[in-house]
Amino acid sequence: MSEVTTAADDQSGDALENLLTENRHFAPSAEFAANAIVHGDEYAKANTDRPAFWGEQARELLTWSKPFTKTLDWSNPPFATWFEDGEINAAYNALDRHVEAGNGDRVAIHFEGEPGDTRTYTYAQLTEEVKKAANAFETLGLAKGDRVAVYLPMIPEAVITLLACARIGAIHSVVFGGFSAEALRSRIDDAEAKLVVTADGTFRRGKPSALKPAVDNALATPGHSVQNVVVVKRNGEDVNWVEGRDVWWADTVGTASAEHTAVGHAAEHPLFILYTSGTTGKPKGILHTTGGYLTQTAYTHRAVFDLHPETDVFWCTADVGWITGHSYVTYAPLINGATQVMYEGTPDSPHQGRFWEIVEKYKVSILYTAPTAIRTFMKWGEDIPAKYDLSSIRLLGSVGEPINPEAWMWYRRVIGGNNAPIVDTWWQTETGAIMVAPLPGVTNTKPGSAQVPMPGIAADVVDELGASVPHGHGGYLVIREPWPSMLRGIWGDKDRYKDTYWSRFDDMYFAGDGAKWDDDGDIWLLGRVDDVMNVSGHRLSTTEIESALVSHPSVAEAAVVGAADETTGQAVVAFVILRGSAVEDADIVTTLRNHVGKEIGPIAKPKTILVVPELPKTRSGKIMRRLLKDVAEGRAAGDSSTLADNTVMNQIAESLKA
Ligand code: WTA
């Protein structure tokens, strides 16, 4: 077997002991439990016949234009189909049907721009906007099955664009605004996108921040598939304009007809592609389809957040560039008829109380955010949230990385008034929706643990050989049975889907995370066991950043590790061997950080770059990242007896002292 470093290996013995002896439990209040939407009997019901359970959810939560008669087809694993003979329109489910049911005046989105501008969309208004966008995109020649690259900030047009694509059966591929022109181009090429939807830019910490130039750069060299670029005017900065290719949103969507009939698409029709980092250098286009994805996102949103759509105000702070912004901003809340908040900017603009000001202003009752944000708020101090009225909050969610018990307790006490249940939700771009999480009206929550598989989800922890480990033991997180919102493949690469997820263990989905069952039978996530890093809840690949570094002429070799970081969870630390005269270059570190920014995007820039004379390698030439991680985290390097040259670690230590 290849060498894997589990986060479990990296934890000191004490930390693991703490995890296993965590004995604080928080039962939901009697009131919360009594009013909860989902009760404890759901587990038994769901797990007796999983496909039947999901079939029931699909019928109850969604409106089908052609009802399905089949639930799961698993006759050709690992290729699943769900509700295959049914037809459904995602946009109709998110919009029109709420208007038809008399809820057109309910607020769908309270938008808060970074500069403080606001917009409110009712369900009726949002439906109208999506119909106009659907018409406009069709007029530009977009048809069912065509791919659309979306490079937009967190503004309502992002949600409108995705739903307009879904409405006409076009497949969206959102590229996070923090990725560079190069990264955007490679995603455009891989999906052969016909249309790009972007904005002139956005605002970051009070200043305009451009997006359109990256699109222009991405399309500067010929040979791409893009016919048109639709541009939303957001920050009003000057933009370069390519006549015949570029069109303003206001001139196309703005002038289009608001009449548009949604037709059903096959349940297995692709809904979107979303690129994510894996263990190799090339990002994978994770493919999701329609019926199963909508079923599980809607079910989990209702069950895990105990959503009461008439009274709750839901706020998921994730950017639409990530899976969380797809599942729990764009799709599930609207499918479930919720009122939600959408915020464009950063938590510290114009001041560090911005999130709490927004909670107070819109009376947010359910807040879903990431541990990295919570740790940042802790650092800023609890006197900041104390200035605002947070009494509307009745439930808190966490996603993206393990939440340390200390941050969990702070979140509960300072933001949740010592009363709101916290749901720590484990899932992935690939799983499409939440897989492991407490049910807030049922589970006694426990700081730091994502706890239990959702009803209808067969998650388990197994050892090297794929056997279930007993309570109190650790291993690898797997899913034993197909689930509705599972990825259907990797865009353009069938084999890679099988190899990556279904070949590590027989007949099981390998998530890539280390995990433990504690003595109570709760799951603790222990971080990735592969070369994927998690920085501020964002997935980055060590290999991808290494490739970016060695593509610079000054770099001979590079190795990247994710080092523990108090705020961001992990931070990117790169070790590089320079070529020739680059060693004399005083600015080389800045040059290389910018180079990574250009190749992948600002989010991938290493926090630290260490210039070293050698890299630790085994006799077979494999870089021992474990030893580099020791250095990056300031520990004495561990066992180096398998190194080809065991003086290398000393050489590195000496060079870093110098
Ligand atoms: C990590 C984000 C611990 C995990 C939805 C997973 C978590 C990767 C949690 C997926 C959590 C996500 N506790 N770890 N609650 N949620 N992760 O694809 O390592 O961006 O494999 O999806 O994030 O990241 P992705």
Side-chain angles (χ1 to χ4, degrees):
M1 223 202 94
S2 63
E3 186 195 0
V4 289
T5 314
T6 65
D9 295 337
D10 297 333
Q11 306 257 4
S12 69
D14 285 354
L16 261 189
E17 270 314 297
N18 287 343
L19 290 185
L20 289 177
T21 54
E22 175 61 67
N23 50 16
R24 287 170 290 193
H25 296 264
F26 298 92
S29 70
E31 191 200 344
F32 195 103
N35 294 322
I37 287 180
V38 175
H39 301 281
D41 55 353
E42 196 99 329
Y43 291 107
K45 193 176 91 186
N47 297 337
T48 340
D49 185 345
R50 291 194 178 86
F53 168 77
W54 288 116
E56 197 180 305
Q57 300 311 319
R59 284 188 195 96
E60 247 171 52
L61 299 172
L62 304 173
T63 306
W64 294 78
S65 40
K66 177 173 171 247
F68 56 89
T69 62
K70 300 183 210 159
T71 52
L72 166 68
D73 182 347
W74 191 234
S75 57
N76 178 30
F79 301 95
T81 66
W82 284 89
F83 319 125
E84 196 190 348
D85 59 346
E87 286 176 7
I88 187 164
N89 187 291
Y92 174 82
N93 273 269
L95 301 163
D96 311 48
R97 65 170 180 156
H98 301 310
V99 180
E100 289 168 12
N103 292 322
D105 291 338
R106 184 183 295 168
V107 173
I109 298 178
H110 286 295
F111 169 70
E112 174 95 8
E114 198 195 77
D117 57 319
T118 61
R119 275 188 262 166
T120 303
Y121 289 87
T122 63
Y123 272 91
Q125 289 165 333
L126 196 64
T127 305
E128 188 162 304
E129 290 305 315
V130 169
K131 287 179 173 179
K132 287 162 87 173
N135 280 322
F137 294 170
E138 283 180 333
T139 305
L140 290 172
L142 201 68
K144 182 166 173 169
D146 286 343
R147 274 80 59 202
V148 179
V150 181
Y151 192 65
L152 280 169
M154 273 303 275
I155 55 176
E157 285 82 356
V159 170
I160 294 166
T161 297
L162 304 198
L163 291 174
C165 289
R167 192 172 186 95
I168 63 180
I171 305 166
H172 55 76
S173 163
V174 181
V175 180
F176 176 60
F179 284 116
S180 67
E182 259 88 338
L184 175 62
R185 173 64 183 263
S186 72
R187 287 157 174 78
I188 287 172
D189 286 351
D190 189 70
E192 296 173 280
K194 198 167 173 182
L195 179 71
V196 177
V197 183
T198 190
D200 47 3
T202 176
F203 300 92
R204 270 291 169 272
R205 301 200 164 85
K207 291 197 214 79
S209 159
L211 281 166
K212 174 81 168 33
V215 177
D216 292 330
N217 289 338
L219 302 179
T221 42
H224 60 73
S225 45
V226 174
Q227 293 174 1
N228 289 106
V229 178
V230 175
V231 189
V232 178
K233 196 189 268 295
R234 172 63 188 142
N235 67 10
E237 296 284 292
D238 283 344
V239 289
N240 170 48
W241 205 251
V242 177
E243 283 306 329
R245 184 196 74 183
D246 297 351
V247 280
W248 286 110
W249 176 279
D251 296 342
T252 47
V253 178
T255 59
S257 154
E259 296 295 321
H260 188 279
T261 309
V263 298
H265 303 296
E268 286 295 341
H269 182 68
L271 185 61
F272 65 87
I273 306 167
L274 184 59
Y275 288 85
T276 190
S277 296
T279 52
T280 66
K282 193 171 167 265
K284 303 175 284 204
I286 302 298
L287 175 66
H288 282 287
T289 61
T290 311
Y293 174 82
L294 297 179
T295 301
Q296 194 177 329
T297 50
Y299 173 74
T300 51
H301 181 250
R302 189 168 168 272
V304 175
F305 301 110
D306 186 44
L307 181 83
H308 291 71
E310 305 78 20
T311 48
D312 275 319
V313 177
F314 178 77
W315 183 20
C316 167
T317 67
D319 190 282
V320 74
W322 309 107
I323 190 67
T324 312
H326 283 60
S327 301
Y328 299 103
V329 176
T330 306
Y331 289 104
L334 298 174
I335 297 280
N336 287 335
T339 294
Q340 69 175 324
V341 170
M342 181 177 197
Y343 172 54
E344 179 184 26
T346 56
D348 56 354
S349 192
H351 56 78
Q352 295 176 337
R354 186 69 187 271
F355 266 35
W356 318 120
E357 189 177 79
I358 292 174
V359 167
E360 177 179 284
K361 178 170 173 187
Y362 297 103
K363 301 196 167 39
V364 171
S365 59
I366 306 170
L367 176 68
Y368 190 30
T369 193
T372 183
I374 299 164
R375 290 190 297 264
T376 304
F377 298 137
M378 283 174 76
K379 215 164 55 186
W380 290 344
E382 61 188 81
D383 50 315
I384 294 173
K387 289 186 211 140
Y388 300 89
D389 178 6
L390 306 183
S391 61
S392 55
I393 288 184
R394 62 177 202 91
L395 182 71
L396 296 169
S398 175
V399 61
E401 55 175 314
I403 175 164
N404 43 310
E406 194 196 350
W408 196 102
M409 290 301 296
W410 188 92
Y411 196 29
R412 179 177 162 91
R413 181 172 58 80
V414 179
I415 309 303
N418 255 328
N419 184 41
I422 297 181
V423 288
D424 177 7
T425 62
W426 178 88
W427 58 295
Q428 308 177 296
T429 306
E430 292 87 340
T431 70
I434 296 169
M435 302 292 278
V436 179
L439 287 179
V442 179
T443 319
N444 288 344
T445 55
K446 189 187 277 182
S449 166
Q451 300 196 286
V452 277
M454 288 297 293
I457 297 300
D460 196 3
V461 181
V462 300
D463 65 17
E464 288 288 332
L465 300 173
S468 294
V469 302
H471 289 176
H473 288 78
Y476 304 95
L477 188 72
V478 296
I479 316 293
R480 292 184 172 279
E481 306 278 343
W483 64 100
S485 62
M486 65 193 269
L487 75 163
R488 297 302 196 267
I490 294 172
W491 185 257
D493 199 342
K494 255 193 167 163
D495 294 339
R496 200 169 164 206
Y497 164 66
K498 224 169 161 167
D499 295 347
T500 310
Y501 305 106
W502 298 92
S503 60
R504 175 69 181 78
F505 301 110
D506 287 340
D507 307 327
M508 285 181 238
Y509 171 85
F510 172 55
D513 279 271
K516 248 179 190 297
W517 286 118
D518 70 13
D519 291 332
D520 303 330
D522 282 322
I523 294 178
W524 292 76
L525 276 307
L526 301 174
R528 301 287 305 194
V529 296
D530 53 16
D531 297 334
V532 173
M533 294 174 290
N534 192 326
V535 180
S536 297
H538 300 156
R539 267 168 79 164
L540 295 170
S541 143
T542 53
T543 334
E544 197 181 351
I545 300 176
E546 285 164 5
S547 308
L549 285 166
V550 295
S551 75
H552 193 277
S554 298
V555 176
E557 271 194 85
V560 167
V561 297
D565 184 280
E566 262 194 14
T567 307
T568 57
Q570 289 188 311
V572 180
V573 178
F575 295 80
V576 295
I577 305 179
L578 296 176
R579 281 181 204 281
S581 62
V583 185
E584 319 292 320
D585 180 353
D587 298 326
I588 189 68
V589 166
T590 313
T591 306
L592 293 180
R593 289 188 77 240
N594 291 338
H595 179 69
V596 174
K598 179 175 158 291
E599 289 292 310
I600 305 174
I603 53 163
K605 283 185 183 178
K607 183 175 179 191
T608 314
I609 296 184
L610 301 169
V611 177
V612 292
E614 276 303 333
L615 289 172
K617 288 184 187 157
T618 60
R619 266 164 228 118
S620 59
K622 195 171 154 44
I623 295 172
M624 290 188 73
R625 289 203 181 74
R626 173 171 61 79
L627 296 175
L628 293 175
K629 206 162 162 156
D630 289 338
V631 175
E633 292 177 352
R635 276 189 303 276
D639 180 10
S640 58
S641 56
T642 55
L643 285 183
D645 170 359
N646 58 20
T647 66
V648 168
M649 292 314 292
N650 284 338
Q651 291 181 44
I652 291 177
E654 285 305 313
S655 74
L656 296 180
K657 262 188 234 155

